[in-house]
Amino acid sequence: MSARRPLPRWADIALLPAINLLLAFLVSGLVVLLVGQNPLHAIQVIIYGAFGYGDGLGYTLYYATNFIFTGLAVAVAAHAGLFNIGGDGQAYVAGLGAIIVALALDQTHWLLVLPLAVMASAAFGGFWAFVPGWLQAKRGSHVVITTIMFNFIASALMVYLLNRVLKTRTNMAPESDTIEVAGRLPQLRQFISFFGYSPVNLSIVIAVLALIGVYILIWHTKFGYAMRVLGANPTASRYAGISNSRMIMITMAISGALAGMMAINEVLGVQNRLVLDFVAGAGFVGIAVALMGRNHPVGIALAAILFGALYQGGQELQFVIPGITREMIVVIQALVILFTGAMEGLFRPSLERAFMLFSPEQKAQAIAVSTAKPEA
């Protein structure tokens, strides 16, 4: 019996996600059929709603911006062998840093507000991830458990702050004061009218810079190499003189900072204030984005656009086909996340065996067997 061999790079990056995505759409199509609707028409509506006109494309890019930040956060931790599941909480707390800077400087100009708000949100998000990293490095706590718990702590903390500290006296809603126009992040429609009234804004530029920065960090720096060594073999990393505990803490802080920068898109670019639950589960979607994108910035960008298209296309689907309810759209999105994220390895063993059948070694062995002379 031959040992399994890893898939070729192109099959691992492109073919396997494509098969998972196709299966997800097939199962989703069955769900649409069960309610008496045409699945092909539903797919057509989703694609048109996500890419067919300026507003739709703008909303797709707006959602994708959030998923790029949270997907990168998961990917950076994954390269070091860590599973940061606390992107939601880190982005939530980072919104506090962004709104503090924005409200303090919103009388000036967004060009001054933006860099300081980015640093503040990254610092708040980074700190919220650094603590679980410290607990794992110094006390042996598992980072998955602690980051989940920190999500709950962040949620409770923000509810308290928005109700007791940041809420203005003239407003009954649990939200902060609104940022002045001068301090708000410009939306792309102010430069390109094609995007209509969609909320996509300049934070997408920061997201692209983050993709490039993470690529350089992981594959072209000494720190990135140490991070990958730690993720591949912690024992070898220790024998190579790398401080594993130091790497865990720094990596988690970077991961949290990336998740935290999602707050720029929402707080400065769309809401213009801090509101309850503005993260809306983007941290958990980032896990599926990172898995589907194979923890590579290019793959994460493509996966984030796909999930952004599903979110925007789902809204369009609900509007165009009334027979498909909001709950069904959530089911369809969940199926895609399930097959492309949680079950991304479902077809890997079968695909590896299929590729082995066509490998040069297998062909040579088959030829040798077929041409071998029988013993007398």
Side-chain angles (χ1 to χ4, degrees), residues 275-288:
V275 298
L276 278 179
D277 198 25
F278 71 87
V279 181
F284 291 103
V285 177
I287 297 171

Side-chain angles (χ1 to χ4, degrees), residues 332-348:
I332 293 171
Q333 291 168 346
L335 284 171
V336 174
I337 292 173
L338 177 68
F339 284 102
T340 59
M343 298 173 64
E344 62 92 23
L346 181 64
F347 294 103
R348 184 181 294 277

Side-chain angles (χ1 to χ4, degrees), residues 24-46 317 321 323-325 328-329 331-333 335:
F25 280 129
L26 285 175
V27 177
S28 301
L30 291 176
V31 174
V32 175
L33 269 178
L34 286 175
V35 296
Q37 301 294 333
N38 185 346
L40 293 178
H41 179 54
I43 290 176
Q44 185 182 12
V45 171
I46 289 175
L317 192 62
I321 306 178
I324 298 179
T325 62
M328 285 194 59
I329 292 168
V331 169
I332 293 171
Q333 291 168 346
L335 284 171

